[in-house]
Amino acid sequence: MVKFSKELEAQLIPEWKEAFVNYRQLKKHIKRIKLNRVSKQLQAPEETFGRSVFDSFRFITNKFCNSDNNHKQDMIQVRRKTTEESEEVYETELAQLFSEEDEVQVFFAKLDGELNKINQFYKKQETEFIERGEMLSKQLNILLDLKQILSDRHKKNPSLKPSNTGVFPHPPGQESIGESIHDNSEVSQMDEVISTLERNGLSFANSAMRVKTKKKGKPHMAIRIDIPATTPTAVTSMLWEDLVNSPIKPEYGGEFINKRKIQCAEKMIRSAFVELYKGLGLLKTYSSLNMVAFTKILKKFDKVSSQKASANYMKEVKRSHFISSDKVVRLMDEVESIFTKHFANNDRKRAMKFLRPQQPKVSHTVTFLVGLCTGCSVSLFCVYVILAHMCGIFSPSTEPAYMDAVYPVSSVFALLSLHLFMYGCNLYMWKSTRINHNFIFEFSPSTALKHRDAFLMCTTLMTTVFGAMVVHLLLRAGGFSPGQVDAIPGIIFLFFVGLLICPFDIFYRPTRFCFIRVIRNIVCSPFYKVLLVDFFMADQLTSQIPLLRHLETTGCHIFARVFKSHHPEACHSGRLYIEITYLISFLPYWWRALQCARRWFDDRDVNHLANMGKYVSAMVAAGARVTYSRQDSHLWFAIVLITSVVATFYQLYWDFFKDWGFFNPKSKNPCLRDDLILKNKCIYYMSIVSSLLPLL
């Protein structure tokens, strides 16, 4: 049977870990009470002589009398007190002396502290969720009213395109937002939109309208809208960024609410309702787990103290806010009804698929396929080594041509397979340590890659590559022309590229399309808002420069040997090859530096500029190394040495002090930080040592 402490650790929400009851610490206090009780019993002298029959009779009488009094008198009294901040706190007083009075007082003081902490956290989260629900309801009402206005206008004038109607924004100030309402027919339509916004809490600062003239001479009217400072900003900012806060372009008539933006806003609000419902479910789980923890710990106390003190305390726990409040349950019911009505066409079953998605069942088929592919890849590799020696591939006469044709493309897939394997190990470790990486990276839990899936992709890739290498050797030994045989690596490469962009729902299509979207965001870094998954993948690309170099060589040899576009020697010494080598060495660091610049532009945080300096220094060092490989001189060696040392120490400083937060002199963990996710500190020290190994 699993102990409750381990069960609690397995079920608690990692983000709220500190807010849960400290079950282990309370158990330690109970154990301390038990040890003190045992030690006192051992130290007490055994009175075996001098007793009479009346002593035994008196002992039995006192025992029965005390048991009756114990039922009549409460051993502890839990009192509610109100602090100066109008917060209710609990304090326990001992109404009956215990043999270990000091330890019992400490225990109940700790228990009161945990109960007060849970109540305060629950009230705070409950208030935040209620405010978020009110905000979403308000935004949903605005959206529904605007949809109704646009629908009515389209019905009155079917020839009017939806993109030609809507609300035009005006450049906002800090406390007010300018809005322009374009009307092709009547001013009453503008009044309708104004009244709609006023019903949802938006007040108009200036009722006077200003008439502006566009390029084609058609006037449109502008009006000032005052958005209250109390307007929520979580999802509202996302909605108003598209619907209200877009910058105006007078020469083009400005941005406006159209059907596409309405659909985009509807999708955002739907996702916000799903996240709200998920958060409410987590808060409900938080309440139930803490209730069970209090029940378990008080039962242990009764067992150790041989008293029945838990009943009175449990009454107060059940009366406390985190148990007695039903606001979360009522809000969950309200979200279910709203979602069913507005986002599921009154189909409750369909709504529950969004609000309570079923977790995919763990299939052992993937594990079996991983083992099968691993065995096949190892067998094919052994067959390849035997055939290579039998065919004399590694002899001095045939080795250079063969290595130029096969080695680069094989290295690409080998490095990619190794990267997938390491990513699978990361997924496994994140799952083991209960790190919610799907939430951090904003992945969908139903389609997110699991560690078994990453291992399957890795082993499938290597099995295919080793099989192609064996076929390549067999065809080469069979007397086929080198031009035809050397096309096999190119075919394999094109096959995997085609599989990556395949539109059919096969071989992890959501993951493939997500990868393509992230790569697009990285390539176009300055033009897209940088998300965590974007710069995570960009950091991975900075470690895959050898893979990109091999990819360049592979493409060059494919065109040289199959399409006869140029001589294969140009793939190592040609001017174009050297320029592309420079470009590949720069690009990953360049993309990452642009991401830091965009984040500084969005957040105005100077740390992003300092982080950009790290990648600029790495870019300079990479360019110096490429130049030194072409121009072997003492000057370039000195430049490579200086730039590499600067870039390396810059990166190590940023990793240790900024990203990881290590070497904090005030930390309770030597050379580390205070908050550690992994219990084994040796893993952190090994990470530090492994980062320093390249310097040796």
Side-chain angles (χ1 to χ4, degrees):
M1 185 176 179
V2 181
K3 291 185 177 181
F4 177 74
S5 56
K6 294 184 178 180
E7 184 180 350
L8 179 64
E9 288 184 358
Q11 295 184 17
L12 59 80
I13 297 97
E15 292 81 5
W16 298 347
K17 184 178 180 180
E18 299 299 325
F20 275 83
V21 60
N22 197 337
Y23 188 80
R24 288 185 178 274
Q25 186 183 27
L26 294 175
K27 277 184 63 178
K28 289 180 181 179
H29 280 284
I30 292 178
K31 188 175 182 180
R32 198 173 297 134
I33 294 172
K34 182 179 180 180
L35 292 176
N36 289 341
R37 187 181 180 89
V38 172
S39 62
K40 288 182 179 180
Q41 289 177 353
L42 293 176
Q43 292 175 2
E46 296 183 359
E47 299 178 359
T48 56
F49 299 99
R51 292 182 179 178
S52 63
V53 178
F54 296 101
D55 293 331
S56 302
F57 178 75
R58 189 181 300 110
F59 174 78
I60 296 172
T61 305
N62 290 334
K63 183 176 180 181
F64 280 102
C65 292
N66 288 336
S67 62
D68 293 336
N69 292 331
N70 287 342
H71 289 289
K72 296 178 182 179
Q73 180 183 2
D74 293 330
M75 300 177 184
I76 60 172
Q77 293 181 358
V78 185
R79 304 183 184 276
R80 291 188 188 183
K81 295 184 178 181
T82 305
T83 62
E84 295 179 356
E85 293 81 9
S86 300
E87 293 182 356
E88 286 188 351
V89 296
Y90 292 86
E91 289 186 3
T92 303
E93 296 179 359
L94 301 183
Q96 178 178 331
L97 293 179
F98 290 80
S99 58
E100 303 82 14
E101 184 177 358
D102 293 338
E103 293 295 336
V104 172
Q105 286 181 343
V106 172
F107 169 75
F108 278 105
K110 292 287 185 181
L111 197 63
D112 292 338
E114 294 297 320
L115 181 57
N116 295 330
K117 176 186 72 174
I118 292 168
N119 271 324
Q120 292 172 6
F121 179 81
Y122 188 88
K123 288 179 181 179
K124 179 184 175 183
Q125 294 297 322
E126 185 183 63
T127 303
E128 290 181 1
F129 283 128
I130 291 174
E131 291 177 354
R132 193 185 305 178
E134 293 175 352
M135 172 200 68
L136 290 177
S137 298
K138 183 181 294 185
Q139 296 304 312
L140 180 61
N141 291 333
I142 294 175
L143 181 66
L144 294 175
D145 290 342
L146 291 176
K147 285 176 67 177
Q148 186 63 37
I149 291 173
L150 295 181
S151 177
D152 293 342
R153 294 186 64 183
H154 187 63
K155 289 179 181 178
K156 293 178 181 178
N157 190 359
S159 61
L160 187 64
K161 295 182 179 179
S163 60
N164 292 333
T165 62
V167 179
F168 289 74
H170 186 274
Q174 187 173 1
E175 295 294 334
S176 63
I177 296 180
E179 296 256 337
S180 300
I181 301 179
H182 182 264
D183 190 1
N184 294 325
S185 56
E186 298 176 354
V187 180
S188 60
Q189 294 173 348
M190 180 189 64
D191 295 334
E192 189 178 4
V193 175
I194 292 175
S195 62
T196 299
L197 297 177
E198 284 180 337
R199 283 198 308 270
N200 292 280
L202 300 180
S203 60
F204 289 80
N206 298 322
S207 59
M209 295 177 293
R210 301 189 308 272
V211 179
K212 295 185 179 181
T213 304
K214 295 189 288 184
K215 277 189 172 182
K216 297 183 180 180
K218 296 181 180 180
H220 74 284
M221 287 159 288
I223 203 165
R224 300 279 297 177
I225 296 180
D226 179 39
I227 295 185
T230 57
T231 302
T233 57
V235 179
T236 312
S237 60
M238 299 290 293
L239 176 63
W240 287 103
E241 182 179 355
D242 280 344
L243 298 187
V244 178
N245 292 340
S246 302
I248 192 169
K249 298 179 182 179
E251 64 272 16
Y252 296 106
E255 294 289 333
F256 44 85
I257 295 178
N258 55 26
K259 187 176 181 181
R260 181 181 61 83
K261 289 188 176 181
I262 289 290
Q263 292 174 348
C264 182
E266 184 177 3
K267 184 178 179 181
M268 291 179 184
I269 294 179
R270 183 185 66 185
S271 300
F273 269 110
V274 173
E275 293 300 323
L276 174 62
Y277 190 84
K278 187 186 299 183
L280 292 170
L282 292 177
L283 191 59
K284 190 177 177 182
T285 303
Y286 171 83
S287 174
S288 60
L289 285 177
N290 282 303
M291 179 62 185
V292 176
F294 275 111
T295 305
K296 295 281 186 181
I297 206 69
L298 286 170
K299 285 183 178 179
K300 288 181 180 294
F301 175 79
D302 286 350
K303 184 178 180 180
V304 169
S305 62
S306 300
Q307 304 289 347
K308 294 183 179 180
S310 64
N312 191 20
Y313 201 94
M314 282 305 301
K315 288 179 182 179
E316 294 299 327
V317 172
K318 292 177 180 179
R319 292 173 188 168
S320 61
H321 186 81
F322 82 98
I323 295 297
S324 61
S325 176
D326 62 342
K327 293 180 181 179
V328 170
V329 177
R330 286 192 282 112
L331 185 55
M332 290 182 71
D333 295 338
E334 185 179 349
V335 171
E336 289 179 5
S337 61
I338 291 175
F339 199 93
T340 303
K341 180 179 179 181
H342 298 290
F343 300 106
N345 294 327
N346 292 320
D347 187 351
R348 180 175 175 79
K349 187 176 180 181
R350 180 186 173 192
M352 288 299 104
K353 288 183 180 180
F354 284 95
L355 297 176
R356 298 178 185 175
Q358 296 293 330
Q359 294 294 332
K361 295 181 179 180
V362 179
S363 176
H364 297 288
T365 305
V366 177
T367 307
F368 171 76
L369 291 176
V370 170
L372 180 63
C373 291
T374 302
C376 291
S377 60
V378 172
S379 301
L380 289 171
F381 178 74
C382 295
V383 172
Y384 169 76
V385 171
I386 295 173
L387 289 177
H389 282 282
M390 291 177 61
C391 298
I393 291 299
F394 299 111
S395 61
S397 59
T398 58
E399 182 179 2
Y402 179 80
M403 295 300 288
D404 290 342
V406 177
Y407 178 73
V409 67
S410 302
S411 299
V412 168
F413 291 114
L415 290 173
L416 183 60
S417 178
L418 178 62
H419 203 99
L420 285 172
F421 175 77
M422 296 303 297
Y423 182 65
C425 293
N426 280 337
L427 293 176
Y428 177 76
M429 290 299 299
W430 291 337
K431 180 183 178 182
S432 302
T433 53
R434 292 183 55 79
I435 296 176
N436 193 355
H437 64 280
N438 291 330
F439 175 78
I440 296 173
F441 290 133
E442 299 181 10
F443 291 157
S444 174
S446 59
T447 58
L449 208 65
K450 309 295 189 301
H451 65 278
R452 293 184 182 87
D453 301 322
F455 292 148
L456 179 61
M457 294 172 67
C458 163
T459 54
T460 302
L461 187 65
M462 289 310 300
T463 301
T464 306
V465 172
F466 285 143
M469 293 173 68
V470 170
V471 172
H472 182 273
L473 276 180
L474 292 175
L475 294 178
R476 190 183 183 95
F480 288 85
S481 62
Q484 295 175 342
V485 175
D486 292 342
I488 292 179
I491 293 173
I492 295 296
F493 176 75
L494 293 177
F495 169 76
F496 281 110
V497 171
L499 181 62
L500 177 65
I501 62 176
C502 178
F504 302 109
D505 192 7
I506 56 173
F507 204 71
Y508 306 105
R509 184 180 66 174
T511 302
R512 291 188 285 108
F513 281 16
C514 178
F515 175 77
I516 295 173
R517 184 171 61 254
V518 170
I519 294 297
R520 179 207 62 187
N521 294 348
I522 292 174
V523 174
C524 306
S525 294
F527 309 108
Y528 287 93
K529 188 175 181 179
V530 182
L531 303 177
L532 179 61
V533 65
D534 296 335
F535 66 77
F536 176 81
M537 182 59 69
D539 274 333
Q540 304 302 309
L541 288 179
T542 58
S543 304
Q544 291 297 337
I545 291 179
L547 186 149
L548 299 176
R549 295 276 299 274
H550 288 309
L551 193 62
E552 172 202 6
T553 307
T554 299
C556 183
H557 277 282
I558 289 174
F559 279 96
R561 296 180 179 276
V562 179
F563 299 102
K564 308 295 182 181
S565 59
H566 55 273
H567 196 273
E569 293 295 330
C571 294
H572 298 280
S573 58
R575 180 179 178 182
L576 180 61
Y577 175 81
I578 296 175
E579 292 176 352
I580 295 178
T581 302
Y582 275 108
L583 185 64
I584 289 176
S585 301
F586 287 154
L587 272 181
Y589 300 112
W590 172 252
W591 289 330
R592 191 66 186 89
L594 289 180
Q595 286 183 338
C596 294
R598 174 59 192 263
R599 295 187 70 191
W600 170 81
F601 180 79
D602 292 336
D603 303 335
R604 299 297 177 182
D605 188 354
V606 184
N607 286 324
H608 295 313
L609 293 180
N611 194 17
M612 183 178 69
K614 179 183 71 172
Y615 296 103
V616 171
S617 65
M619 193 187 313
V620 174
R625 285 194 296 269
V626 173
T627 305
Y628 176 70
S629 65
R630 305 297 176 185
Q631 302 178 18
D632 190 359
S633 64
H634 295 289
L635 175 62
W636 278 108
F637 175 76
I639 294 175
V640 168
L641 183 62
I642 294 173
T643 56
S644 298
V645 169
V646 171
T648 300
F649 280 97
Y650 199 156
Q651 183 176 357
L652 289 176
Y653 168 79
W654 196 268
D655 289 344
F656 291 154
F657 291 89
K658 294 292 185 178
D659 288 344
W660 295 353
F662 288 168
F663 300 105
N664 184 1
K666 298 181 180 179
S667 175
K668 59 184 179 181
N669 303 310
C671 299
L672 301 178
R673 60 175 185 263
D674 288 336
D675 298 329
L676 299 177
I677 296 178
L678 303 177
K679 296 181 180 179
N680 192 353
K681 299 178 184 179
C682 295
I683 299 177
Y684 294 98
Y685 293 118
M686 290 174 60
S687 300
I688 295 175
V689 173
S690 63
S691 299
L692 296 174
L693 286 179
L695 298 178
L696 302 178

